[in-house]
Amino acid sequence: MAQNKTILFPKTVAILETLGENIRLARLRRNVSSSLQAERAGISRPTLTMIEKGAPSVALGSYVQVLVALGLEKDLLQVAADDELGRKLQDLNLPVRRRAPKQGKL
């Protein structure tokens, strides 16, 4: 059975490429070779190369391993941390509870 290929929007591809470039620049700023970075992350060097190019076929776990090896895992925790739109939508759907009047008072 053939695998279905996921089609990505150009905006998604651009985001992945930017992420890969940011990871590559972080590695270079730390003066870490690609071989050493791959070893620290527990991945192969070709996989690291694909990550730095923003390849969508690489597992998310491999991206995370590279970020952890660079000490940037806390940046990943900021994703969707302040979901302003989601909170507004949630507030719109909150039920309004009405209390019955106390007995003897109207």
Side-chain angles (χ1 to χ4, degrees):
M1 185 176 227
Q3 290 182 347
N4 293 335
K5 183 175 180 179
T6 303
I7 298 173
L8 300 176
F9 293 112
K11 183 177 181 180
T12 305
V13 172
I15 289 169
L16 284 171
E17 288 173 352
T18 301
L19 175 61
E21 180 67 15
N22 289 346
I23 289 171
R24 182 178 156 282
L25 291 173
R27 176 180 62 80
L28 293 174
R29 281 191 293 268
R30 287 162 176 73
N31 200 25
V32 176
S33 70
S34 59
S35 298
L36 180 59
Q37 181 64 37
E39 182 181 330
R40 287 179 178 175
I43 60 174
S44 68
R45 193 164 166 228
T47 300
L48 178 62
T49 301
M50 290 174 60
I51 287 171
E52 291 182 350
K53 289 181 180 179
S57 60
V58 178
L60 180 59
S62 296
Y63 276 90
V64 173
Q65 282 299 110
V66 171
L67 290 171
V68 168
L70 289 169
L72 297 172
E73 66 276 2
K74 289 185 180 180
D75 290 349
L76 189 60
L77 296 175
Q78 296 303 313
V79 174
D82 188 26
D83 184 14
E84 188 175 323
L85 175 62
R87 289 174 197 229
K88 286 180 181 179
L89 292 171
Q90 182 182 27
D91 290 345
L92 288 174
N93 290 326
L94 290 178
V96 178
R97 295 185 181 172
R98 301 195 191 276
R99 291 184 176 211
K102 291 185 179 182
Q103 291 182 351
K105 292 186 177 181
L106 293 176

XYZ file of all heavy atoms in Angstrom:
813
model
N 0.846 -1.173 0.000
C 0.000 0.000 0.000
C 0.898 1.244 0.000
O 1.813 1.360 0.799
C -0.894 -0.033 1.237
C -1.902 1.068 1.297
S -2.957 0.861 2.738
C -4.508 1.103 1.952
N 0.633 2.169 -0.878
C 1.438 3.381 -1.007
C 1.108 4.352 0.125
O -0.033 4.437 0.571
C 1.174 4.037 -2.350
N 2.126 5.065 0.554
C 1.925 6.052 1.598
C 1.386 7.332 0.985
O 1.757 7.716 -0.117
C 3.235 6.362 2.312
C 3.740 5.238 3.166
C 5.016 5.626 3.889
O 5.643 6.624 3.583
N 5.391 4.822 4.852
N 0.486 7.975 1.707
C -0.024 9.262 1.258
C 0.996 10.335 1.592
O 1.507 10.388 2.720
C -1.353 9.582 1.934
C -2.454 8.658 1.497
O -2.383 8.098 0.417
N -3.459 8.492 2.332
N 1.301 11.163 0.632
C 2.249 12.247 0.865
C 1.478 13.472 1.338
O 0.495 13.878 0.717
C 3.014 12.568 -0.414
C 4.058 13.623 -0.208
C 4.890 13.846 -1.435
C 5.909 14.926 -1.124
N 6.770 15.185 -2.234
N 1.902 14.023 2.435
C 1.261 15.208 2.977
C 1.668 16.414 2.145
O 2.849 16.633 1.901
C 1.674 15.433 4.442
O 1.341 14.265 5.193
C 0.966 16.624 5.036
N 0.689 17.176 1.738
C 0.951 18.384 0.962
C 0.947 19.558 1.926
O -0.010 19.770 2.675
C -0.106 18.572 -0.136
C -0.047 17.391 -1.099
C 0.106 19.888 -0.860
C -1.128 17.371 -2.132
N 2.034 20.313 1.915
C 2.164 21.443 2.818
C 1.937 22.753 2.076
O 2.334 22.901 0.919
C 3.561 21.461 3.445
C 3.937 20.234 4.260
C 5.369 20.352 4.741
C 3.006 20.057 5.434
N 1.338 23.688 2.755
C 1.163 25.024 2.200
C 2.509 25.736 2.163
O 3.390 25.464 3.002
C 0.170 25.837 3.038
C -1.232 25.308 2.983
C -1.820 24.750 4.102
C -1.962 25.387 1.802
C -3.118 24.260 4.049
C -3.261 24.897 1.743
C -3.842 24.339 2.862
N 2.690 26.663 1.245
C 3.965 27.393 1.164
C 4.333 28.085 2.478
O 5.506 28.133 2.849
C 3.726 28.410 0.050
C 2.682 27.784 -0.809
C 1.799 27.010 0.136
N 3.330 28.587 3.196
C 3.603 29.256 4.477
C 4.194 28.262 5.482
O 5.115 28.593 6.230
C 2.314 29.869 5.020
C 2.496 30.650 6.293
C 1.185 31.288 6.714
C 1.355 32.089 7.985
N 0.101 32.723 8.410
N 3.678 27.039 5.485
C 4.176 26.003 6.389
C 5.609 25.633 6.034
O 6.458 25.472 6.917
C 3.273 24.760 6.324
O 1.931 25.150 6.588
C 3.703 23.715 7.324
N 5.883 25.505 4.755
C 7.241 25.192 4.297
C 8.203 26.300 4.726
O 9.308 26.026 5.214
C 7.270 24.990 2.766
C 8.692 24.864 2.253
C 6.442 23.769 2.374
N 7.780 27.548 4.583
C 8.624 28.679 4.977
C 8.903 28.667 6.474
O 10.023 28.959 6.906
C 7.960 29.996 4.569
N 7.904 28.304 7.279
C 8.089 28.234 8.731
C 9.129 27.167 9.078
O 10.019 27.389 9.896
C 6.743 27.963 9.438
C 5.847 29.190 9.350
C 6.958 27.564 10.898
C 4.407 28.950 9.781
N 9.007 25.995 8.457
C 9.967 24.915 8.709
C 11.371 25.309 8.278
O 12.352 25.015 8.974
C 9.529 23.640 7.998
C 8.390 22.872 8.647
C 7.908 21.761 7.731
C 8.815 22.314 9.986
N 11.486 25.979 7.140
C 12.808 26.411 6.674
C 13.411 27.433 7.622
O 14.610 27.391 7.913
C 12.702 26.971 5.251
C 12.455 25.896 4.211
C 12.191 26.454 2.822
O 12.043 27.695 2.675
O 12.123 25.644 1.874
N 12.594 28.331 8.126
C 13.084 29.328 9.093
C 13.512 28.650 10.387
O 14.557 28.992 10.956
C 11.992 30.385 9.369
O 11.640 31.017 8.135
C 12.479 31.425 10.354
N 12.726 27.687 10.852
C 13.092 26.940 12.053
C 14.423 26.227 11.854
O 15.307 26.291 12.717
C 11.998 25.935 12.419
C 12.295 25.000 13.592
C 12.516 25.782 14.877
C 11.174 23.989 13.758
N 14.577 25.574 10.736
C 15.826 24.879 10.441
C 17.009 25.824 10.397
O 18.083 25.534 10.943
N 16.823 26.963 9.765
C 17.904 27.958 9.688
C 18.241 28.492 11.073
O 19.419 28.680 11.405
C 17.491 29.102 8.754
C 18.526 30.185 8.600
C 19.801 29.749 7.889
O 19.821 28.683 7.256
O 20.803 30.483 7.979
N 17.234 28.729 11.901
C 17.482 29.199 13.267
C 18.262 28.166 14.077
O 19.156 28.512 14.855
C 16.171 29.540 13.970
C 15.535 30.790 13.417
O 16.151 31.564 12.694
N 14.269 30.992 13.735
N 17.933 26.898 13.898
C 18.656 25.826 14.587
C 20.108 25.792 14.109
O 21.033 25.685 14.910
C 17.954 24.474 14.363
C 16.637 24.432 15.151
C 18.857 23.300 14.763
C 15.758 23.241 14.856
N 20.301 25.918 12.805
C 21.662 25.913 12.239
C 22.476 27.086 12.787
O 23.640 26.932 13.195
C 21.587 25.990 10.713
C 22.920 25.949 10.028
C 22.715 25.991 8.493
N 23.880 26.496 7.836
C 24.247 27.773 7.755
N 23.492 28.701 8.292
N 25.343 28.135 7.142
N 21.878 28.280 12.814
C 22.587 29.457 13.317
C 22.915 29.320 14.802
O 23.998 29.730 15.241
C 21.763 30.714 13.051
C 21.633 31.117 11.585
C 20.644 32.274 11.425
C 22.980 31.468 10.998
N 22.006 28.730 15.572
C 22.268 28.514 17.002
C 23.453 27.572 17.184
O 24.304 27.780 18.051
C 21.023 27.954 17.689
N 23.511 26.533 16.356
C 24.641 25.593 16.422
C 25.944 26.292 16.060
O 26.961 26.146 16.752
C 24.403 24.414 15.475
C 25.574 23.439 15.415
C 25.322 22.300 14.476
N 25.129 22.672 13.093
C 26.126 22.959 12.238
N 27.374 22.946 12.640
N 25.855 23.275 10.986
N 25.922 27.099 15.014
C 27.138 27.794 14.581
C 27.585 28.842 15.598
O 28.792 29.012 15.823
C 26.913 28.435 13.204
C 26.720 27.450 12.049
C 26.366 28.199 10.770
C 27.955 26.583 11.854
N 26.642 29.533 16.235
C 27.004 30.517 17.270
C 27.697 29.844 18.444
O 28.555 30.429 19.093
C 25.757 31.253 17.755
C 25.283 32.349 16.835
C 24.218 33.213 17.500
N 22.989 32.482 17.728
C 21.969 32.431 16.886
N 22.028 33.071 15.745
N 20.884 31.749 17.175
N 27.335 28.608 18.709
C 27.956 27.845 19.797
C 29.238 27.161 19.349
O 29.884 26.486 20.131
C 26.960 26.809 20.321
C 25.835 27.417 21.129
C 24.667 26.464 21.264
N 23.618 26.986 22.120
C 22.777 27.960 21.796
N 22.869 28.542 20.613
N 21.844 28.361 22.637
N 29.578 27.315 18.076
C 30.801 26.738 17.505
C 30.829 25.217 17.679
O 31.843 24.641 18.064
C 32.040 27.397 18.119
C 33.262 27.215 17.259
O 33.157 27.026 16.053
N 34.431 27.258 17.878
N 29.692 24.579 17.382
C 29.558 23.132 17.496
C 29.490 22.557 16.081
O 28.704 23.026 15.257
C 28.287 22.753 18.288
C 28.077 21.250 18.323
C 28.348 23.323 19.693
N 30.300 21.550 15.821
C 30.274 20.921 14.496
C 28.983 20.123 14.326
O 28.344 19.720 15.298
C 31.482 19.994 14.319
O 31.345 18.860 15.139
N 28.625 19.877 13.076
C 27.402 19.124 12.820
C 27.530 17.687 13.324
O 26.557 17.115 13.817
C 27.048 19.151 11.329
O 28.089 18.601 10.569
N 28.721 17.130 13.240
C 28.936 15.766 13.736
C 28.719 15.696 15.247
O 28.048 14.786 15.751
C 30.347 15.289 13.410
O 30.545 15.257 12.030
N 29.284 16.656 15.962
C 29.136 16.681 17.415
C 27.688 16.947 17.804
O 27.154 16.318 18.730
C 30.059 17.736 18.031
C 30.017 17.867 19.543
C 30.379 16.547 20.218
C 30.947 18.984 19.997
N 27.028 17.861 17.093
C 25.627 18.167 17.388
C 24.744 16.943 17.176
O 23.876 16.641 17.994
C 25.142 19.324 16.512
C 23.706 19.717 16.764
C 23.492 20.253 18.160
O 24.332 20.941 18.712
N 22.361 19.936 18.737
N 24.970 16.233 16.085
C 24.183 15.028 15.811
C 24.412 13.984 16.891
O 23.469 13.332 17.355
C 24.546 14.476 14.434
N 25.646 13.841 17.314
C 25.973 12.866 18.364
C 25.278 13.242 19.670
O 24.702 12.388 20.342
C 27.483 12.810 18.564
C 27.928 11.795 19.586
C 29.440 11.786 19.772
O 30.165 12.092 18.812
O 29.884 11.474 20.888
N 25.341 14.512 20.033
C 24.695 14.969 21.276
C 23.184 14.766 21.241
O 22.564 14.479 22.261
C 25.000 16.449 21.513
C 26.404 16.719 21.943
C 26.635 18.201 22.123
N 27.985 18.485 22.589
C 28.482 19.702 22.743
N 27.742 20.761 22.453
N 29.716 19.864 23.166
N 22.597 14.950 20.065
C 21.145 14.806 19.927
C 20.720 13.354 19.728
O 19.536 13.048 19.780
C 20.651 15.658 18.759
N 21.679 12.476 19.482
C 21.354 11.069 19.283
C 20.717 10.783 17.935
O 19.883 9.885 17.819
N 21.101 11.568 16.935
C 20.584 11.387 15.584
C 21.755 11.288 14.621
O 22.897 11.562 14.990
C 19.647 12.544 15.161
C 20.395 13.882 15.190
C 18.407 12.590 16.041
C 19.609 15.049 14.660
N 21.462 10.914 13.385
C 22.532 10.832 12.384
C 22.823 12.223 11.822
O 22.007 13.142 11.917
C 22.129 9.891 11.249
O 21.077 10.452 10.506
N 23.998 12.353 11.248
C 24.387 13.631 10.650
C 23.472 14.005 9.479
O 23.081 15.174 9.366
C 25.848 13.567 10.217
C 26.411 14.907 9.879
C 27.923 14.856 9.835
N 28.403 16.060 9.198
C 29.302 16.090 8.250
N 29.866 14.980 7.834
N 29.681 17.227 7.726
N 23.100 13.056 8.601
C 22.150 13.424 7.542
C 20.803 13.906 8.078
O 20.189 14.803 7.502
C 21.989 12.136 6.744
C 23.240 11.373 6.988
C 23.635 11.703 8.404
N 20.363 13.350 9.197
C 19.108 13.809 9.799
C 19.257 15.243 10.290
O 18.354 16.069 10.102
C 18.671 12.880 10.954
O 18.493 11.564 10.440
C 17.372 13.355 11.592
N 20.397 15.558 10.896
C 20.642 16.932 11.334
C 20.647 17.879 10.140
O 20.080 18.972 10.202
C 21.962 17.038 12.099
C 22.330 18.448 12.560
C 21.298 19.003 13.532
C 23.721 18.470 13.169
N 21.253 17.455 9.053
C 21.275 18.280 7.843
C 19.852 18.538 7.360
O 19.509 19.670 6.986
C 22.102 17.595 6.737
O 23.434 17.401 7.215
C 22.129 18.415 5.476
N 19.019 17.504 7.385
C 17.624 17.670 6.962
C 16.871 18.611 7.903
O 16.060 19.429 7.457
C 16.939 16.307 6.885
C 17.435 15.454 5.741
S 16.755 13.783 5.723
C 15.017 14.096 5.595
N 17.140 18.522 9.196
C 16.508 19.416 10.167
C 16.905 20.854 9.882
O 16.069 21.761 9.873
C 16.891 19.011 11.610
C 16.165 17.729 11.998
C 16.576 20.133 12.603
C 16.616 17.127 13.311
N 18.186 21.075 9.633
C 18.668 22.430 9.387
C 18.161 22.992 8.061
O 18.197 24.201 7.853
C 20.192 22.464 9.456
C 20.698 22.244 10.874
C 22.202 22.307 11.004
O 22.912 22.339 9.966
O 22.695 22.338 12.147
N 17.673 22.133 7.189
C 17.050 22.585 5.940
C 15.538 22.738 6.104
O 14.862 23.209 5.204
C 17.345 21.597 4.814
C 18.789 21.633 4.365
C 19.028 20.664 3.230
C 20.486 20.723 2.787
N 20.754 19.768 1.695
N 15.001 22.299 7.248
C 13.570 22.414 7.507
C 12.750 21.335 6.849
O 11.605 21.565 6.478
N 13.309 20.145 6.729
C 12.596 19.042 6.076
C 11.380 18.624 6.894
O 11.499 18.321 8.080
C 13.529 17.855 5.896
N 10.198 18.570 6.273
C 8.996 18.173 7.000
C 8.926 16.677 7.270
O 8.126 16.245 8.094
C 7.858 18.605 6.065
C 8.463 18.630 4.713
C 9.914 18.988 4.900
N 9.764 15.894 6.628
C 9.717 14.439 6.802
C 10.428 13.974 8.069
O 10.288 12.824 8.464
C 10.336 13.750 5.591
O 11.684 14.148 5.444
N 11.176 14.856 8.715
C 11.896 14.493 9.936
C 10.915 14.532 11.106
O 10.106 15.454 11.228
C 13.070 15.465 10.188
C 13.787 15.123 11.487
C 14.043 15.430 9.026
N 10.997 13.534 11.968
C 10.097 13.445 13.121
C 10.281 14.635 14.061
O 11.397 15.130 14.248
C 10.350 12.146 13.878
N 9.184 15.071 14.637
C 9.216 16.186 15.573
C 10.151 15.893 16.747
O 10.845 16.781 17.243
C 7.809 16.494 16.079
C 7.669 17.644 17.063
C 8.167 18.941 16.446
C 6.233 17.775 17.502
N 10.196 14.644 17.156
C 11.079 14.259 18.261
C 12.540 14.547 17.956
O 13.304 14.927 18.850
N 12.940 14.402 16.708
C 14.321 14.704 16.337
C 14.593 16.195 16.427
O 15.664 16.620 16.875
C 14.606 14.211 14.912
O 14.496 12.806 14.855
N 13.629 17.017 16.010
C 13.772 18.468 16.160
C 13.945 18.815 17.641
O 14.802 19.610 18.011
C 12.542 19.199 15.606
C 12.563 19.444 14.117
C 12.030 18.520 13.228
C 13.093 20.623 13.597
C 12.034 18.763 11.863
C 13.095 20.872 12.229
C 12.566 19.936 11.373
O 12.576 20.175 10.020
N 13.124 18.194 18.489
C 13.188 18.473 19.930
C 14.533 18.036 20.500
O 15.131 18.756 21.312
C 12.017 17.788 20.670
C 12.166 17.934 22.174
C 10.688 18.357 20.205
N 15.040 16.865 20.093
C 16.328 16.394 20.583
C 17.442 17.390 20.248
O 18.330 17.636 21.063
C 16.666 15.027 19.992
C 15.940 13.883 20.661
C 16.281 13.792 22.132
O 15.440 14.083 22.979
N 17.485 13.396 22.443
N 17.401 17.958 19.061
C 18.414 18.949 18.670
C 18.279 20.199 19.528
O 19.279 20.747 19.998
C 18.293 19.286 17.172
C 19.178 20.461 16.805
C 18.645 18.071 16.323
N 17.046 20.641 19.765
C 16.845 21.823 20.607
C 17.318 21.581 22.037
O 17.928 22.461 22.657
C 15.374 22.236 20.594
C 14.871 22.810 19.270
C 13.359 22.974 19.304
C 15.549 24.122 18.951
N 17.068 20.388 22.554
C 17.533 20.052 23.903
C 19.058 20.051 23.946
O 19.666 20.587 24.876
C 16.964 18.683 24.352
C 17.650 18.184 25.606
C 15.460 18.775 24.569
N 19.682 19.481 22.935
C 21.147 19.433 22.894
C 21.753 20.834 22.798
O 22.864 21.059 23.263
C 21.613 18.578 21.715
N 21.007 21.767 22.227
C 21.479 23.158 22.146
C 21.103 23.970 23.385
O 21.512 25.117 23.523
C 20.889 23.840 20.902
C 21.424 23.384 19.561
C 20.566 23.940 18.430
C 22.875 23.796 19.391
N 20.289 23.393 24.270
C 19.844 24.111 25.461
C 18.706 25.073 25.171
O 18.508 26.038 25.899
N 17.944 24.814 24.108
C 16.871 25.709 23.709
C 15.481 25.106 23.925
O 14.503 25.580 23.346
C 17.037 26.085 22.227
C 18.309 26.861 21.896
C 18.471 27.000 20.395
C 18.280 28.214 22.568
N 15.383 24.081 24.758
C 14.096 23.415 24.953
C 13.060 24.330 25.597
O 11.862 24.174 25.367
C 14.254 22.127 25.765
C 14.681 22.308 27.197
C 16.188 22.454 27.386
O 16.937 22.454 26.411
O 16.600 22.563 28.554
N 13.480 25.315 26.383
C 12.524 26.224 27.013
C 11.831 27.094 25.976
O 10.687 27.500 26.164
C 13.212 27.081 28.068
C 13.608 26.277 29.287
C 14.183 27.127 30.370
C 14.558 26.239 31.542
N 15.118 26.989 32.646
N 12.518 27.394 24.870
C 11.887 28.151 23.794
C 10.716 27.370 23.212
O 9.701 27.948 22.848
C 12.887 28.465 22.680
C 13.936 29.474 23.099
O 13.783 30.094 24.171
O 14.909 29.647 22.350
N 10.852 26.072 23.136
C 9.803 25.225 22.585
C 8.564 25.245 23.478
O 7.438 25.148 22.991
C 10.318 23.792 22.415
C 9.432 22.832 21.665
C 9.172 23.322 20.247
C 10.057 21.459 21.626
N 8.761 25.408 24.770
C 7.641 25.438 25.705
C 6.802 26.708 25.569
O 5.695 26.783 26.106
C 8.142 25.283 27.140
C 8.802 23.944 27.450
C 9.375 23.954 28.864
C 7.815 22.807 27.286
N 7.316 27.712 24.866
C 6.579 28.953 24.669
C 5.544 28.857 23.554
O 4.697 29.722 23.414
C 7.560 30.101 24.369
C 8.501 30.407 25.514
C 7.760 30.734 26.797
O 6.828 31.520 26.808
N 8.165 30.104 27.884
N 5.612 27.778 22.767
C 4.662 27.611 21.669
C 3.248 27.491 22.249
O 2.986 26.650 23.098
C 5.019 26.363 20.822
C 3.938 26.104 19.779
C 6.373 26.535 20.173
N 2.381 28.351 21.811
C 0.965 28.387 22.208
C 0.761 28.617 23.707
O -0.319 28.337 24.224
C 0.241 27.120 21.755
N 1.771 29.111 24.401
C 1.630 29.358 25.835
C 0.650 30.498 26.096
O -0.130 30.454 27.040
C 2.984 29.670 26.453
N 0.690 31.531 25.270
C -0.204 32.666 25.434
C -1.162 32.690 24.254
O -0.991 33.439 23.304
C 0.598 33.965 25.520
C -0.278 35.151 25.879
O -1.320 34.943 26.507
O 0.088 36.289 25.519
N -2.171 31.847 24.326
C -3.140 31.690 23.246
C -4.283 32.672 23.440
O -5.358 32.317 23.913
C -3.634 30.242 23.221
C -4.576 29.966 22.077
O -4.651 30.797 21.150
O -5.234 28.914 22.107
N -4.041 33.920 23.069
C -5.012 34.980 23.291
C -6.330 34.726 22.548
O -7.412 34.849 23.117
C -4.411 36.321 22.858
C -5.253 37.517 23.226
C -4.563 38.823 22.900
O -3.331 38.913 23.060
O -5.273 39.749 22.486
N -6.252 34.339 21.285
C -7.456 34.068 20.507
C -8.235 32.893 21.100
O -9.456 32.955 21.242
C -7.107 33.775 19.045
C -8.282 33.360 18.160
C -9.318 34.466 18.078
C -7.784 32.973 16.778
N -7.536 31.835 21.463
C -8.193 30.672 22.048
C -8.911 31.011 23.337
O -10.017 30.519 23.602
N -8.306 31.857 24.149
C -8.943 32.240 25.418
C -10.185 33.094 25.173
O -11.190 32.965 25.874
C -7.950 32.965 26.302
C -6.900 32.027 26.838
C -5.836 32.759 27.600
N -4.695 31.875 27.726
C -4.074 31.640 28.852
N -4.464 32.232 29.945
N -3.047 30.831 28.886
N -10.126 33.975 24.178
C -11.306 34.784 23.854
C -12.445 33.898 23.368
O -13.596 34.082 23.747
C -10.962 35.825 22.791
C -10.130 36.966 23.318
C -9.828 37.971 22.229
C -8.956 39.104 22.769
N -8.630 40.077 21.718
N -12.121 32.920 22.519
C -13.142 31.997 22.036
C -13.722 31.173 23.176
O -14.928 30.918 23.225
C -12.558 31.084 20.958
C -12.192 31.757 19.640
C -11.426 30.797 18.753
C -13.432 32.284 18.944
N -12.862 30.781 24.096
C -13.324 30.007 25.241
C -14.260 30.856 26.103
O -15.302 30.381 26.559
C -12.134 29.539 26.069
C -12.502 28.694 27.260
C -11.285 28.297 28.084
O -10.273 29.005 28.087
N -11.379 27.180 28.759
N -13.911 32.112 26.310
C -14.741 32.995 27.127
C -16.107 33.219 26.506
O -17.108 33.381 27.217
C -14.046 34.338 27.348
C -12.833 34.216 28.266
O -12.707 33.176 28.943
O -12.012 35.152 28.287
N -16.174 33.224 25.172
C -17.456 33.409 24.502
C -18.393 32.233 24.737
O -19.610 32.394 24.730
C -17.246 33.592 22.994
C -16.639 34.916 22.565
C -16.346 34.889 21.073
C -17.567 36.077 22.908
N -17.851 31.070 24.953
C -18.666 29.864 25.121
C -18.929 29.493 26.571
O -19.555 28.465 26.829
C -17.994 28.679 24.419
C -18.046 28.830 22.916
O -18.996 29.368 22.385
N -17.017 28.366 22.246
N -18.474 30.317 27.521
C -18.707 30.005 28.930
C -20.193 30.174 29.258
O -20.799 31.182 28.919
C -17.877 30.911 29.838
C -16.372 30.664 29.827
C -15.671 31.677 30.731
C -16.065 29.258 30.305
N -20.768 29.177 29.907
C -22.195 29.304 30.254
C -22.380 30.331 31.368
O -21.543 30.466 32.261
C -22.561 27.907 30.741
C -21.283 27.325 31.215
C -20.200 27.927 30.349
N -23.466 31.057 31.273
C -23.801 32.026 32.315
C -24.811 31.355 33.226
O -25.916 31.000 32.805
C -24.389 33.319 31.698
C -24.775 34.296 32.795
C -23.391 33.936 30.743
N -24.435 31.162 34.468
C -25.317 30.489 35.413
C -26.180 31.524 36.122
O -25.691 32.521 36.630
C -24.496 29.695 36.426
C -23.736 28.579 35.763
C -23.034 27.750 36.777
N -22.297 26.694 36.102
C -21.460 25.892 36.690
N -21.242 26.001 37.989
N -20.824 24.961 36.014
N -27.443 31.244 36.130
C -28.383 32.155 36.811
C -28.905 31.416 38.044
O -29.278 30.260 37.975
C -29.529 32.519 35.880
C -29.041 33.182 34.602
C -30.218 33.861 33.893
N -29.874 34.285 32.569
C -29.269 35.427 32.284
N -28.917 36.241 33.243
N -28.991 35.761 31.047
N -28.929 32.138 39.119
C -29.421 31.559 40.360
C -30.912 31.848 40.499
O -31.403 32.896 40.092
C -28.694 32.141 41.552
C -27.250 31.718 41.623
C -26.640 32.259 42.877
N -25.286 31.768 42.978
C -24.693 31.543 44.121
N -25.306 31.783 45.243
N -23.465 31.108 44.142
N -31.555 30.908 41.120
C -32.975 31.126 41.437
C -33.049 32.118 42.571
O -32.183 32.161 43.439
C -33.625 29.806 41.825
N -34.081 32.952 42.557
C -34.204 33.919 43.670
C -34.406 33.180 44.990
O -34.963 32.092 45.026
C -35.425 34.755 43.305
C -36.147 34.014 42.243
C -35.165 33.080 41.618
N -33.908 33.783 46.072
C -34.048 33.167 47.388
C -35.539 33.129 47.759
O -36.310 34.010 47.396
C -33.283 33.963 48.432
C -31.796 33.869 48.242
C -31.082 34.565 49.370
C -29.585 34.453 49.181
N -28.852 35.079 50.275
N -35.904 32.115 48.502
C -37.300 31.973 48.905
C -37.683 33.125 49.818
O -36.936 33.494 50.700
C -37.518 30.634 49.603
C -37.380 29.468 48.654
C -37.647 28.143 49.357
O -37.769 28.081 50.584
N -37.718 27.084 48.586
N -38.836 33.661 49.576
C -39.332 34.762 50.394
C -38.947 36.103 49.836
O -39.474 37.126 50.234
N -38.006 36.151 48.908
C -37.604 37.423 48.311
C -37.871 37.348 46.808
O -37.676 36.339 46.169
C -36.128 37.708 48.546
C -35.780 37.987 49.966
C -34.345 38.396 50.059
C -33.965 38.760 51.474
N -32.594 39.183 51.592
N -38.294 38.426 46.251
C -38.508 38.483 44.826
C -37.642 39.471 44.185
O -37.187 40.381 44.292
C -39.986 38.767 44.495
C -40.917 37.644 44.883
C -42.336 38.091 44.609
C -40.631 36.394 44.113
